[in-house]
Amino acid sequence: MPPTLPELNSLFAARHSCRAFLSDPVPRTVIEQIIETAQKVPSWCNAQPWKLTVTSGAQTEALRGELLRAADAGGHAPDLAFPTGYSNEYQDRRRTCGWALYEAVGVIKGDREGSARQMRQNFSLFDAPHCAIISSPAELGPYGAMDCGGFVAAFTLAARAAGVASIPQAAVASFAPMLHQHLGIGKDRTILCAISFGYGNPNHAANSFRTERADLDDFVDWQD
Ligand SMILES: Cc1cc2nc3c(=O)[nH]c(=O)nc-3n(C[C@H](O)[C@H](O)[C@H](O)COP(=O)(O)O)c2cc1C
């Protein structure tokens, strides 16, 4: 029997983006089970366009080092263009979740150094012991990215069911040229995002807030 909707809802409700990890590694068998679960999502023509480059141990440390160096050097060069803007309710939601994070970690409005320090945590992968870089074949374009988005969401949920915390990170994809070179990802693939994962640190302030969701009436157009 598949899980009931309330059971599934409780899994979804229990997941959140983790921004402080413990150093303990996740056993390879558990990572494999998470990926095998996530790969059950649908994709157009069942192309399953996702590929993952998964780091552990010294390879995660090396990636962290490269990302921090790239962040210090500057130069934002994602394969997939970042949004050109967030307007209206999207801007409101973006601000609300940003301030919830800053408030949780004690960064007050106007503290540019503090917000830069928190932003930089992206490039140390929030101290996660593992990182999965997600890429899609360039020739599949936005539909490949769409399929991979489903995979990313499923990965985070499957991880939660396995007791593993995670966070998708577009910020990491800012440095796509370095990622292609450092991780040996072909130029025929579009690097979409990272998922940092491991066991969450429940006592860290960055993990102390939760985001909210809009009311259905705000985004569903019922045409009965
Ligand atoms: C594609 C994608 C990219 C994201 N990139 C980042 C990121 O670079 N840094 C970050 O701190 N959070 C990132 N997030 C996490 C979102 O901020 C988070 O999912 C959102 O605020 C909702 O919160 P929740 O995941 O805790 O429910 C990303 C999420 C997604 C799905």
Side-chain angles (χ1 to χ4, degrees), residues 5 214-224:
L5 191 53
D215 292 334
L216 262 59
D217 286 346
D218 291 338
F219 67 100
V220 182
D221 178 13
W222 303 106
Q223 300 203 353
D224 296 334

Side-chain angles (χ1 to χ4, degrees), residues 60-211:
T60 302
E61 295 311 322
L63 176 60
R64 230 189 299 279
E66 291 292 335
L67 282 166
L68 288 167
R69 262 189 293 282
D72 288 341
H76 168 88
D79 285 347
L80 187 68
F82 274 25
T84 53
Y86 287 83
S87 308
N88 307 317
E89 66 266 47
Y90 310 115
Q91 187 185 37
D92 292 345
R93 291 170 193 159
R94 182 172 190 239
R95 282 195 179 139
T96 302
C97 91
W99 283 118
L101 170 61
Y102 288 147
E103 201 170 83
V105 297
V107 174
I108 56 166
K109 260 190 186 140
D111 178 2
R112 285 174 182 272
E113 206 180 297
S115 54
R117 203 181 323 116
Q118 179 56 40
M119 175 62 193
R120 192 177 155 81
Q121 290 290 312
N122 271 286
F123 306 116
S124 59
L125 306 172
F126 303 107
D127 294 334
H130 305 282
C131 184
I133 301 290
I134 316 294
S135 67
S136 177
E139 66 175 356
L140 267 61
Y143 278 94
M146 185 188 282
D147 292 341
C148 289
F151 177 88
V152 167
F155 182 107
T156 65
L157 291 160
R160 180 63 190 87
V164 172
S166 66
I167 180 167
Q169 291 178 267
V172 169
S174 299
F175 304 112
M178 178 278 287
L179 296 172
H180 280 287
Q181 197 190 9
H182 177 69
L183 298 171
I185 300 171
K187 288 284 168 54
D188 57 340
R189 301 195 64 82
T190 302
I191 293 176
L192 299 172
C193 68
I195 309 175
S196 291
F197 64 97
Y199 297 107
N201 179 350
N203 301 319
H204 196 287
N207 288 332
S208 67
F209 76 99
R210 295 292 179 270
T211 54

